[in-house]
Amino acid sequence: MQLGMIGLGRMGGNIVRRLMKHGHTTVVYDKDPKAVAAIGADGAVGASALEEFVSKLDKPRTAWVMLPAGKITEMTIEALSKLMQEGDVIIDGGNTFWQDDVRRGKALKQRGIHYLDVGTSGGVWGIDRGYCMMIGGDKAVVDRLNPIFATLAPGIGDIPRTGGREGRDPRIEQGYIHAGPVGAGHFVKMVHNGIEYGLMQAYAEGFDILKNANIDALPEDHRFDLNIADIAEVWRRGSVIPSWLLDLTASALAKNDTLDNYSGFVEDSGEGRWTVNAAIDEAVPAEVLTAALYTRFRSRKEHTFAEKILSAMRDGFGGHKEPK
Amino acid sequence: MQLGMIGLGRMGGNIVRRLMKHGHTTVVYDKDPKAVAAIGADGAVGASALEEFVSKLDKPRTAWVMLPAGKITEMTIEALSKLMQEGDVIIDGGNTFWQDDVRRGKALKQRGIHYLDVGTSGGVWGIDRGYCMMIGGDKAVVDRLNPIFATLAPGIGDIPRTGGREGRDPRIEQGYIHAGPVGAGHFVKMVHNGIEYGLMQAYAEGFDILKNANIDALPEDHRFDLNIADIAEVWRRGSVIPSWLLDLTASALAKNDTLDNYSGFVEDSGEGRWTVNAAIDEAVPAEVLTAALYTRFRSRKEHTFAEKILSAMRDGFGGHKEPK
Amino acid sequence: MQLGMIGLGRMGGNIVRRLMKHGHTTVVYDKDPKAVAAIGADGAVGASALEEFVSKLDKPRTAWVMLPAGKITEMTIEALSKLMQEGDVIIDGGNTFWQDDVRRGKALKQRGIHYLDVGTSGGVWGIDRGYCMMIGGDKAVVDRLNPIFATLAPGIGDIPRTGGREGRDPRIEQGYIHAGPVGAGHFVKMVHNGIEYGLMQAYAEGFDILKNANIDALPEDHRFDLNIADIAEVWRRGSVIPSWLLDLTASALAKNDTLDNYSGFVEDSGEGRWTVNAAIDEAVPAEVLTAALYTRFRSRKEHTFAEKILSAMRDGFGGHKEPK
Amino acid sequence: MQLGMIGLGRMGGNIVRRLMKHGHTTVVYDKDPKAVAAIGADGAVGASALEEFVSKLDKPRTAWVMLPAGKITEMTIEALSKLMQEGDVIIDGGNTFWQDDVRRGKALKQRGIHYLDVGTSGGVWGIDRGYCMMIGGDKAVVDRLNPIFATLAPGIGDIPRTGGREGRDPRIEQGYIHAGPVGAGHFVKMVHNGIEYGLMQAYAEGFDILKNANIDALPEDHRFDLNIADIAEVWRRGSVIPSWLLDLTASALAKNDTLDNYSGFVEDSGEGRWTVNAAIDEAVPAEVLTAALYTRFRSRKEHTFAEKILSAMRDGFGGHKEPK
């Protein structure tokens, strides 16, 4: 099957490569001609402009946009849609806010253009491991593009099957899901990332407690000098908390158990924030997911203004001075 | 090798069975004679009293106590130690508070009795899957009992090895660790459980957000009717958040995706609490682990007094009345 | 000065009364003719329809809308604005989302109609105590309507003056502020309410800890049977935590220290949610304000789906059953 | 009445001065002879050693210990008690952990020495404003020392009386309470401080949101440049959130609204921690009080190890690099 790809970064480039490896053909465009040339050398049909990109696609066209969420994705889809025709499909595979999908999907539908939102998980490992995909859009379109999704998905591999799923949608076990109408794909991907933040923070706090188990402030017979690289590894084996995130942690600690190659400045992308917004809209208490997000906010500041307010109050009622 | 086991519940019984299956011999005691008889039929040497239990053990004796943490473990170890001699070993494999281990270890040492604390993870699955063990105590004793631990541990199995661990303690990859002196085993196990609470809560909140994505309070075009059993399953495959806990969740949802076979009354054991206490003693912020604990506290109440205070204040300043 | 008031509920009615008591004249409208009649008996000019209301106002007209935030306020302002003319002023004194103010202010400005958003605090006590007002809009309009605000504000009263404020805007000490352009008033009011949630929850948790200090689960010599009504009262006097909210709490507890006249079902209005949204947009960690909001969400559910997920996991890995 | 005071720091010295101003006599001791001399000049009988201090007290003696909680208080009371006789009273007015009081009270009782724990609030303002006191101990002793407490307490002053308290213990309105047996005083004071942390953090977060309402990351028409000193002041007047802590904040902001005279390094004393421990022992969810404590922990670190773990994971799954 043929797929057009706009955006040849880490994700877009690897998706194209995985597709070609399994016999699909691709047309590619990126504002960086070198990225186009590089993947052209691997067999993709390159385009040096959006118009050329569209003209090289067979009708009905399918164009996957894999760009940073926000303004650039919005503008690209806007421009692309003007070149597309009734029956064509635009896929947003980035980390777009699902309410933008809903809005866009409606607008494009009026012009007969199909829109799919595909939450795509797998990171740098996806090219080999496959991508877990959460898809929103019309059933007919999702079904028509099934060969693409089936190829990108990890497949059942050696992950054990869950009992009681006989007779259910077989795509799920292959690692992709048609989650619902436009927006549902990115909504589910958003919650996936929200959970990811929470899981990461749970491990992070646990290791922090292990790391600080030997500080002077503790009574001498209540201190432990623990090997946290070994602990991360042992928990991978027979405990209740193994996970891929723990595997990655064990791997990082095996290389450098002080992690002093990192400063602890932690970015957040939109999904963590939107997950909390969704929780609030639904009146669902989401303490852990929110705390995980706030930790990242805090990690990027030297001090908050809130902390200065605390110091000012303490000075005010108790004459407490901060250490210099 | 010979091991004595006191306490033949789900954990103790299965540990004995796993040991015997691999050629070890066992002496067992439980206050319930039926439990002793049952496992005796499988090959264990039974005892009907603590004295008999001790007398049937070869010297130097090794007795593993596998009882609910707290008073019963304390009293049993107290009684047992009076029957033991210099060079004997008492293992507490339960979920004991690590500071109790430190105290006990010191007291027993004065009488020449060795004490090991073994945090044992694996739950009902351990008999087949093996137990991840976190061990505290003297090196010589841990080394001497290595055949027991090696048998109980899961072994390397088909879990991929972590790069960069060449030349390290080989026991870690087998699934057990000598974490440090007495207390260190239960300390590490405690943090394991603390993390477990946090991970569980992260998933739980995420699924709650998915579950409530279709409520009437949301704008009509922002609602999704999601198949959360399928979502749990698809996330096991190629996403960033696979884990054993997710496997279990997918399995439960495959059977009944409303989970109306559960009420949502969630117990907590000591480890979650002690983990927060440890974080506080170390001045480590542990928002997520604490929030996970508090959620469990709240799950067991119809309403908190705190909530009544809020209602009283709202009535006071705004005349806001609660719905009947 | 003349003010038109739409909406004669607890807040709108009392504002009108306070204005008339101090010599202002008012024109009033409410969809409930009885409310109009009641306040007409106190001296207000009543109107039985929006058109009549507008026609009875002197030009340039000033109409204060005091309705529940959301659709009804939106529709009323929409209808009202069609009857208004260049130079007229619409005030939204309700609890409107500040981004709605920004949108509305822009649209009305194009038609020459002024818009003010006035966050109005004071609750049922405001008629006597006065209202703390946080005002957004153009300076000229705010200045022109100063007599209204000055009358509604509490005035300096017997609240001690803060040192170092000499030469500053004198309106602040009277209890009202021109916070900035349209939207700023409700933004500041929103944060006020966000803080309110946090303060309330802090007290609530503290009293919950006092209330539970005598439970059986505690060691006998670590239990206290505390008189929480007396404690609330004593803290009003010389401690670090006196506040109006504590006064209200002490008052409620003096009447009934079990608070069993309340169930603990706690509503939230939009401001608490929007405050968290604002924190997230600004990447400001707001743990306490968010936790306070989530507590209210939780107070309104028998159990969350999250809690059922936890129970399902615990059953899965440990065979733990919930109590019946 | 006569009172002995050990520890002439900010709190102890001012307590002595307030007592003498109202006609009581005092005997004082401090390890710093200058502190003894200074207050001796104001009329106190000074002592240069503990033995001398005890000998100068009339029987039955009453000695108030006002020292930093922990080892120094423990040692001083130990030494003091050896010099005291049956019927004498030791008061611990510091911020002692209430479980230490329970232990100490029991031990002293066996020797016939009375022990009171007095949680004393009021900070540097207490000398004029009076001290809110939360007292634990035997009724007879508390009653006998009433003249001391009545003098130290703020008295009813101009704080309005709470309705419905007619016929209740009149001491409460004077600002002191006999909370219960030994330990109850410090327990109540502990919760007071726990609440204090929560209140402070609620304000702090709110002001942080106001402060960051103008950052570049926000859409241009959603930014506000707010005068937070004025907002703090206006909220003191007629809003729902006035409090003494807000008074102090308004005062600090009036002097310097950037608060750049503070770094934001925030200490915590034991009470905040013990409050969380108490909540956990009682299974009371205390999200806000705990979050407030954790914020302080975090304020004292450049980065946490937890944050480095997050960065390591993000690098692992997504190749995300930290900014340099």
Short mmCIF file of all heavy atoms in Angstrom, two decimals, chain A residues 106 132 156 160 162 165 168 173 192 205 209 212 221 230 233 236-237 240 254 282 286-289, chain B residues 106 132 156 160 162 165 168 173 192 205 209 212 221 230 233 236-237 240 254 282 286-289:
data_model
loop_
_atom_site.label_atom_id
_atom_site.label_comp_id
_atom_site.label_asym_id
_atom_site.label_seq_id
_atom_site.Cartn_x
_atom_site.Cartn_y
_atom_site.Cartn_z
N LYS A 106 -14.14 17.78 11.86
CA LYS A 106 -15.42 18.33 11.42
C LYS A 106 -15.25 19.22 10.19
O LYS A 106 -16.03 19.13 9.24
CB LYS A 106 -16.02 19.20 12.54
CG LYS A 106 -16.90 18.45 13.50
CD LYS A 106 -17.60 19.46 14.41
CE LYS A 106 -17.91 18.80 15.75
NZ LYS A 106 -18.25 19.80 16.76
N CYS A 132 2.69 0.95 19.02
CA CYS A 132 1.33 0.79 19.55
C CYS A 132 0.53 1.99 19.04
O CYS A 132 0.91 3.14 19.29
CB CYS A 132 1.39 0.76 21.08
SG CYS A 132 -0.21 0.68 21.87
N ILE A 156 1.84 -9.78 17.68
CA ILE A 156 1.65 -10.46 18.96
C ILE A 156 2.97 -10.85 19.62
O ILE A 156 3.10 -10.85 20.84
CB ILE A 156 0.70 -11.66 18.80
CG1 ILE A 156 0.21 -12.14 20.17
CG2 ILE A 156 1.36 -12.79 18.03
CD1 ILE A 156 -1.09 -12.90 20.11
N PRO A 160 2.72 -12.76 26.21
CA PRO A 160 1.67 -13.75 26.47
C PRO A 160 0.28 -13.18 26.19
O PRO A 160 0.03 -12.00 26.40
CB PRO A 160 1.84 -14.07 27.96
CG PRO A 160 3.18 -13.59 28.33
CD PRO A 160 3.53 -12.48 27.40
N THR A 162 -3.71 -12.62 26.81
CA THR A 162 -4.56 -12.48 27.99
C THR A 162 -5.75 -13.42 27.86
O THR A 162 -6.42 -13.42 26.82
CB THR A 162 -5.07 -11.02 28.08
OG1 THR A 162 -3.93 -10.16 28.22
CG2 THR A 162 -6.00 -10.83 29.25
N ARG A 165 -10.04 -13.36 26.08
CA ARG A 165 -10.19 -12.41 24.98
C ARG A 165 -10.57 -13.09 23.67
O ARG A 165 -10.58 -12.47 22.60
CB ARG A 165 -8.89 -11.61 24.77
CG ARG A 165 -8.60 -10.65 25.92
CD ARG A 165 -7.55 -9.62 25.53
NE ARG A 165 -7.89 -8.98 24.27
CZ ARG A 165 -8.71 -7.92 24.15
NH1 ARG A 165 -9.26 -7.39 25.20
NH2 ARG A 165 -8.97 -7.43 22.96
N ARG A 168 -12.59 -11.59 20.40
CA ARG A 168 -12.58 -10.13 20.37
C ARG A 168 -11.80 -9.63 19.15
O ARG A 168 -11.08 -10.38 18.49
CB ARG A 168 -11.93 -9.59 21.64
CG ARG A 168 -12.72 -9.95 22.89
CD ARG A 168 -12.49 -8.91 23.93
NE ARG A 168 -13.10 -9.28 25.20
CZ ARG A 168 -13.42 -8.39 26.13
NH1 ARG A 168 -13.20 -7.11 25.93
NH2 ARG A 168 -13.95 -8.79 27.27
N GLU A 173 -4.64 -7.41 19.85
CA GLU A 173 -3.46 -8.21 20.20
C GLU A 173 -2.27 -7.95 19.28
O GLU A 173 -1.14 -8.32 19.60
CB GLU A 173 -3.81 -9.71 20.17
CG GLU A 173 -4.68 -10.13 21.34
CD GLU A 173 -4.75 -11.64 21.45
OE1 GLU A 173 -4.62 -12.31 20.42
OE2 GLU A 173 -4.93 -12.13 22.59
N HIS A 192 -2.62 7.51 28.03
CA HIS A 192 -1.42 6.66 28.08
C HIS A 192 -0.23 7.47 28.60
O HIS A 192 0.49 7.03 29.50
CB HIS A 192 -1.13 6.12 26.67
CG HIS A 192 0.24 5.57 26.48
ND1 HIS A 192 1.36 6.36 26.23
CD2 HIS A 192 0.72 4.29 26.52
CE1 HIS A 192 2.43 5.60 26.12
NE2 HIS A 192 2.07 4.34 26.29
N GLU A 205 10.40 8.31 42.85
CA GLU A 205 10.34 8.58 44.29
C GLU A 205 10.90 7.40 45.08
O GLU A 205 11.61 7.59 46.06
CB GLU A 205 8.88 8.85 44.72
CG GLU A 205 8.35 10.17 44.16
CD GLU A 205 6.90 10.43 44.51
OE1 GLU A 205 6.30 9.64 45.28
OE2 GLU A 205 6.35 11.43 44.02
N ILE A 209 14.08 7.52 47.68
CA ILE A 209 14.08 7.07 49.08
C ILE A 209 15.23 6.10 49.33
O ILE A 209 15.91 6.17 50.36
CB ILE A 209 12.71 6.44 49.44
CG1 ILE A 209 11.62 7.52 49.37
CG2 ILE A 209 12.74 5.80 50.82
CD1 ILE A 209 10.20 6.97 49.46
N ASN A 212 18.58 8.05 49.47
CA ASN A 212 18.76 8.89 50.66
C ASN A 212 18.69 8.10 51.96
O ASN A 212 18.58 8.69 53.03
CB ASN A 212 17.72 10.00 50.68
CG ASN A 212 18.05 11.11 49.70
OD1 ASN A 212 18.87 11.97 49.99
ND2 ASN A 212 17.45 11.07 48.52
N ASP A 221 21.92 3.60 63.35
CA ASP A 221 21.52 2.20 63.12
C ASP A 221 20.28 2.10 62.25
O ASP A 221 19.72 1.02 62.09
CB ASP A 221 21.33 1.46 64.45
CG ASP A 221 20.24 2.08 65.30
OD1 ASP A 221 19.80 3.20 64.97
OD2 ASP A 221 19.83 1.46 66.29
N ASP A 230 21.69 -2.50 41.49
CA ASP A 230 21.33 -3.91 41.71
C ASP A 230 19.86 -4.06 42.11
O ASP A 230 19.19 -5.01 41.71
CB ASP A 230 22.22 -4.52 42.81
CG ASP A 230 23.60 -4.91 42.27
OD1 ASP A 230 23.85 -4.72 41.06
OD2 ASP A 230 24.44 -5.40 43.06
N GLU A 233 17.68 -3.87 39.14
CA GLU A 233 17.76 -5.11 38.36
C GLU A 233 16.99 -6.24 39.02
O GLU A 233 16.25 -6.98 38.36
CB GLU A 233 19.24 -5.52 38.19
CG GLU A 233 19.47 -6.78 37.40
CD GLU A 233 18.99 -6.67 35.95
OE1 GLU A 233 18.96 -5.55 35.41
OE2 GLU A 233 18.62 -7.72 35.36
N ARG A 236 13.29 -6.45 38.52
CA ARG A 236 12.82 -6.89 37.20
C ARG A 236 12.44 -8.36 37.21
O ARG A 236 11.85 -8.87 36.26
CB ARG A 236 13.90 -6.68 36.15
CG ARG A 236 14.32 -5.22 35.93
CD ARG A 236 15.40 -5.13 34.86
NE ARG A 236 14.92 -5.61 33.59
CZ ARG A 236 15.57 -6.47 32.81
NH1 ARG A 236 16.76 -6.95 33.19
NH2 ARG A 236 15.05 -6.87 31.66
N ARG A 237 12.78 -9.08 38.28
CA ARG A 237 12.77 -10.53 38.24
C ARG A 237 11.93 -11.11 39.38
O ARG A 237 12.43 -11.34 40.47
CB ARG A 237 14.22 -11.02 38.30
CG ARG A 237 15.02 -10.43 37.14
CD ARG A 237 16.48 -10.75 37.13
NE ARG A 237 17.09 -10.24 35.89
CZ ARG A 237 16.98 -10.84 34.70
NH1 ARG A 237 16.32 -11.96 34.59
NH2 ARG A 237 17.52 -10.29 33.62
N VAL A 240 6.61 -7.61 42.03
CA VAL A 240 5.30 -7.16 41.53
C VAL A 240 5.44 -5.98 40.56
O VAL A 240 4.50 -5.63 39.86
CB VAL A 240 4.38 -6.80 42.72
CG1 VAL A 240 3.03 -6.27 42.27
CG2 VAL A 240 4.14 -8.02 43.60
N ALA A 254 22.75 0.80 35.51
CA ALA A 254 23.88 -0.11 35.28
C ALA A 254 25.04 0.65 34.67
O ALA A 254 26.20 0.36 34.94
CB ALA A 254 23.46 -1.27 34.38
N GLU A 282 -13.98 15.88 33.92
CA GLU A 282 -14.80 14.72 34.28
C GLU A 282 -15.03 14.62 35.80
O GLU A 282 -15.70 13.69 36.25
CB GLU A 282 -14.10 13.44 33.81
CG GLU A 282 -13.88 13.35 32.31
CD GLU A 282 -13.12 12.09 31.93
OE1 GLU A 282 -12.91 11.23 32.83
OE2 GLU A 282 -12.75 11.94 30.76
N ALA A 286 -7.42 12.84 40.27
CA ALA A 286 -6.24 12.25 39.63
C ALA A 286 -4.98 12.75 40.30
O ALA A 286 -4.10 13.35 39.69
CB ALA A 286 -6.24 12.58 38.14
N GLU A 287 -4.90 12.48 41.60
CA GLU A 287 -3.82 12.98 42.43
C GLU A 287 -2.44 12.61 41.90
O GLU A 287 -1.53 13.43 41.87
CB GLU A 287 -3.94 12.34 43.83
CG GLU A 287 -4.87 13.09 44.72
CD GLU A 287 -4.34 14.46 45.00
OE1 GLU A 287 -3.22 14.79 44.61
OE2 GLU A 287 -5.08 15.22 45.63
N VAL A 288 -2.30 11.34 41.54
CA VAL A 288 -0.97 10.84 41.19
C VAL A 288 -0.52 11.40 39.85
O VAL A 288 0.62 11.86 39.70
CB VAL A 288 -1.00 9.30 41.21
CG1 VAL A 288 0.11 8.72 40.34
CG2 VAL A 288 -0.86 8.80 42.65
N LEU A 289 -1.41 11.40 38.88
CA LEU A 289 -1.03 11.91 37.57
C LEU A 289 -0.70 13.40 37.67
O LEU A 289 0.22 13.89 37.00
CB LEU A 289 -2.15 11.66 36.54
CG LEU A 289 -2.62 10.21 36.42
CD1 LEU A 289 -3.50 10.03 35.19
CD2 LEU A 289 -1.46 9.23 36.38
N LYS B 106 19.65 -7.14 66.72
CA LYS B 106 20.62 -6.80 67.78
C LYS B 106 20.44 -7.69 68.99
O LYS B 106 21.42 -8.18 69.57
CB LYS B 106 20.40 -5.35 68.23
CG LYS B 106 21.19 -4.34 67.46
CD LYS B 106 21.04 -2.97 68.14
CE LYS B 106 21.19 -1.86 67.11
NZ LYS B 106 20.72 -0.58 67.62
N CYS B 132 11.04 -13.02 44.15
CA CYS B 132 12.08 -12.00 44.21
C CYS B 132 12.36 -11.74 45.69
O CYS B 132 11.45 -11.43 46.44
CB CYS B 132 11.58 -10.73 43.52
SG CYS B 132 12.72 -9.34 43.60
N ILE B 156 17.01 -16.58 35.82
CA ILE B 156 17.08 -15.57 34.75
C ILE B 156 15.94 -15.71 33.75
O ILE B 156 15.46 -14.74 33.19
CB ILE B 156 18.47 -15.58 34.09
CG1 ILE B 156 18.66 -14.33 33.24
CG2 ILE B 156 18.67 -16.85 33.25
CD1 ILE B 156 20.11 -13.98 33.04
N PRO B 160 15.00 -10.48 29.42
CA PRO B 160 16.25 -10.05 28.78
C PRO B 160 17.24 -9.51 29.80
O PRO B 160 16.85 -8.90 30.81
CB PRO B 160 15.80 -8.94 27.82
CG PRO B 160 14.34 -9.10 27.64
CD PRO B 160 13.83 -9.76 28.89
N THR B 162 20.14 -7.04 31.22
CA THR B 162 20.43 -5.61 31.12
C THR B 162 21.89 -5.44 30.74
O THR B 162 22.78 -6.01 31.39
CB THR B 162 20.16 -4.94 32.48
OG1 THR B 162 18.78 -5.10 32.81
CG2 THR B 162 20.52 -3.46 32.45
N ARG B 165 26.00 -5.00 32.86
CA ARG B 165 26.04 -5.61 34.19
C ARG B 165 27.08 -6.73 34.27
O ARG B 165 27.13 -7.46 35.28
CB ARG B 165 24.66 -6.16 34.57
CG ARG B 165 23.62 -5.06 34.81
CD ARG B 165 22.39 -5.59 35.52
NE ARG B 165 22.75 -6.36 36.70
CZ ARG B 165 23.04 -5.84 37.90
NH1 ARG B 165 22.99 -4.55 38.08
NH2 ARG B 165 23.38 -6.63 38.90
N ARG B 168 29.08 -8.22 37.55
CA ARG B 168 28.43 -7.87 38.82
C ARG B 168 27.92 -9.13 39.52
O ARG B 168 27.85 -10.20 38.94
CB ARG B 168 27.25 -6.94 38.55
CG ARG B 168 27.68 -5.61 37.94
CD ARG B 168 26.70 -4.54 38.36
NE ARG B 168 26.98 -3.29 37.68
CZ ARG B 168 26.59 -2.12 38.12
NH1 ARG B 168 25.89 -2.05 39.24
NH2 ARG B 168 26.86 -1.02 37.46
N GLU B 173 20.72 -11.19 38.92
CA GLU B 173 19.99 -11.63 37.71
C GLU B 173 19.15 -12.88 37.98
O GLU B 173 18.28 -13.22 37.18
CB GLU B 173 20.97 -11.89 36.57
CG GLU B 173 21.52 -10.61 35.99
CD GLU B 173 22.23 -10.87 34.66
OE1 GLU B 173 22.74 -11.99 34.49
OE2 GLU B 173 22.26 -9.95 33.82
N HIS B 192 9.77 -1.21 47.56
CA HIS B 192 9.13 -1.95 46.45
C HIS B 192 7.61 -1.83 46.55
O HIS B 192 6.93 -1.51 45.57
CB HIS B 192 9.57 -3.42 46.50
CG HIS B 192 8.73 -4.35 45.68
ND1 HIS B 192 7.52 -4.87 46.13
CD2 HIS B 192 8.89 -4.86 44.44
CE1 HIS B 192 7.00 -5.65 45.20
NE2 HIS B 192 7.82 -5.67 44.17
N GLU B 205 -6.00 5.71 37.98
CA GLU B 205 -6.51 7.04 37.62
C GLU B 205 -6.70 7.14 36.10
O GLU B 205 -7.68 7.71 35.63
CB GLU B 205 -5.56 8.12 38.11
CG GLU B 205 -5.54 8.23 39.63
CD GLU B 205 -4.54 9.27 40.15
OE1 GLU B 205 -3.92 9.98 39.32
OE2 GLU B 205 -4.38 9.38 41.37
N ILE B 209 -10.22 7.94 34.12
CA ILE B 209 -10.44 9.03 33.15
C ILE B 209 -11.04 8.47 31.85
O ILE B 209 -11.96 9.06 31.27
CB ILE B 209 -9.12 9.78 32.88
CG1 ILE B 209 -8.67 10.51 34.15
CG2 ILE B 209 -9.27 10.77 31.73
CD1 ILE B 209 -7.26 11.07 34.09
N ASN B 212 -14.77 7.58 32.45
CA ASN B 212 -15.67 8.72 32.60
C ASN B 212 -15.66 9.65 31.38
O ASN B 212 -16.15 10.77 31.47
CB ASN B 212 -15.31 9.51 33.86
CG ASN B 212 -15.79 8.81 35.12
OD1 ASN B 212 -16.95 8.92 35.47
ND2 ASN B 212 -14.92 8.05 35.76
N ASP B 221 -19.83 16.69 21.74
CA ASP B 221 -18.80 16.31 20.77
C ASP B 221 -17.43 16.10 21.42
O ASP B 221 -16.43 15.94 20.74
CB ASP B 221 -18.71 17.33 19.64
CG ASP B 221 -18.34 18.71 20.15
OD1 ASP B 221 -18.40 18.94 21.37
OD2 ASP B 221 -18.01 19.57 19.32
N ASP B 230 -10.17 -3.39 25.87
CA ASP B 230 -9.30 -3.41 24.69
C ASP B 230 -8.12 -2.45 24.85
O ASP B 230 -7.00 -2.74 24.41
CB ASP B 230 -10.11 -3.04 23.43
CG ASP B 230 -10.92 -4.22 22.91
OD1 ASP B 230 -10.86 -5.32 23.51
OD2 ASP B 230 -11.64 -4.06 21.90
N GLU B 233 -5.47 -3.93 26.91
CA GLU B 233 -4.75 -4.97 26.17
C GLU B 233 -3.78 -4.35 25.15
O GLU B 233 -2.63 -4.77 25.03
CB GLU B 233 -5.75 -5.89 25.45
CG GLU B 233 -5.12 -7.00 24.63
CD GLU B 233 -4.33 -8.00 25.47
OE1 GLU B 233 -4.63 -8.14 26.68
OE2 GLU B 233 -3.38 -8.60 24.93
N ARG B 236 -0.45 -3.16 26.32
CA ARG B 236 0.55 -4.17 26.65
C ARG B 236 1.54 -4.39 25.50
O ARG B 236 2.55 -5.06 25.67
CB ARG B 236 -0.13 -5.52 26.96
CG ARG B 236 -1.06 -5.51 28.15
CD ARG B 236 -1.70 -6.88 28.35
NE ARG B 236 -0.69 -7.89 28.63
CZ ARG B 236 -0.60 -9.07 28.02
NH1 ARG B 236 -1.48 -9.40 27.08
NH2 ARG B 236 0.36 -9.91 28.32
N ARG B 237 1.23 -3.81 24.35
CA ARG B 237 1.92 -4.21 23.12
C ARG B 237 2.53 -3.01 22.40
O ARG B 237 1.89 -2.37 21.59
CB ARG B 237 0.91 -4.94 22.24
CG ARG B 237 0.34 -6.16 22.98
CD ARG B 237 -0.75 -6.90 22.28
NE ARG B 237 -1.12 -8.10 23.04
CZ ARG B 237 -0.38 -9.22 23.06
NH1 ARG B 237 0.72 -9.30 22.35
NH2 ARG B 237 -0.76 -10.24 23.81
N VAL B 240 4.61 2.54 25.90
CA VAL B 240 5.65 2.83 26.89
C VAL B 240 5.29 2.25 28.26
O VAL B 240 6.13 2.17 29.15
CB VAL B 240 5.90 4.36 26.97
CG1 VAL B 240 6.93 4.73 28.03
CG2 VAL B 240 6.38 4.89 25.62
N ALA B 254 -10.72 -8.12 30.90
CA ALA B 254 -11.18 -9.06 29.87
C ALA B 254 -12.33 -9.91 30.42
O ALA B 254 -13.25 -10.28 29.70
CB ALA B 254 -10.03 -9.94 29.41
N GLU B 282 13.69 11.13 55.68
CA GLU B 282 14.80 11.50 54.79
C GLU B 282 14.58 12.87 54.14
O GLU B 282 15.43 13.32 53.37
CB GLU B 282 14.95 10.45 53.69
CG GLU B 282 15.25 9.05 54.18
CD GLU B 282 15.30 8.05 53.02
OE1 GLU B 282 15.22 8.49 51.86
OE2 GLU B 282 15.41 6.84 53.29
N ALA B 286 7.65 12.77 48.37
CA ALA B 286 7.13 11.53 47.78
C ALA B 286 5.64 11.67 47.53
O ALA B 286 4.81 10.91 48.02
CB ALA B 286 7.44 10.35 48.70
N GLU B 287 5.30 12.66 46.75
CA GLU B 287 3.92 13.02 46.47
C GLU B 287 3.09 11.85 45.97
O GLU B 287 1.97 11.62 46.40
CB GLU B 287 3.88 14.11 45.39
CG GLU B 287 4.07 15.49 45.91
CD GLU B 287 2.91 15.84 46.82
OE1 GLU B 287 1.93 15.09 46.94
OE2 GLU B 287 3.00 16.90 47.45
N VAL B 288 3.66 11.14 44.99
CA VAL B 288 2.88 10.11 44.31
C VAL B 288 2.66 8.92 45.22
O VAL B 288 1.55 8.39 45.34
CB VAL B 288 3.57 9.73 42.99
CG1 VAL B 288 3.18 8.35 42.54
CG2 VAL B 288 3.25 10.78 41.92
N LEU B 289 3.70 8.49 45.90
CA LEU B 289 3.55 7.34 46.78
C LEU B 289 2.57 7.66 47.91
O LEU B 289 1.78 6.81 48.33
CB LEU B 289 4.91 6.91 47.34
CG LEU B 289 6.01 6.63 46.30
CD1 LEU B 289 7.20 5.94 46.95
CD2 LEU B 289 5.50 5.81 45.13
#
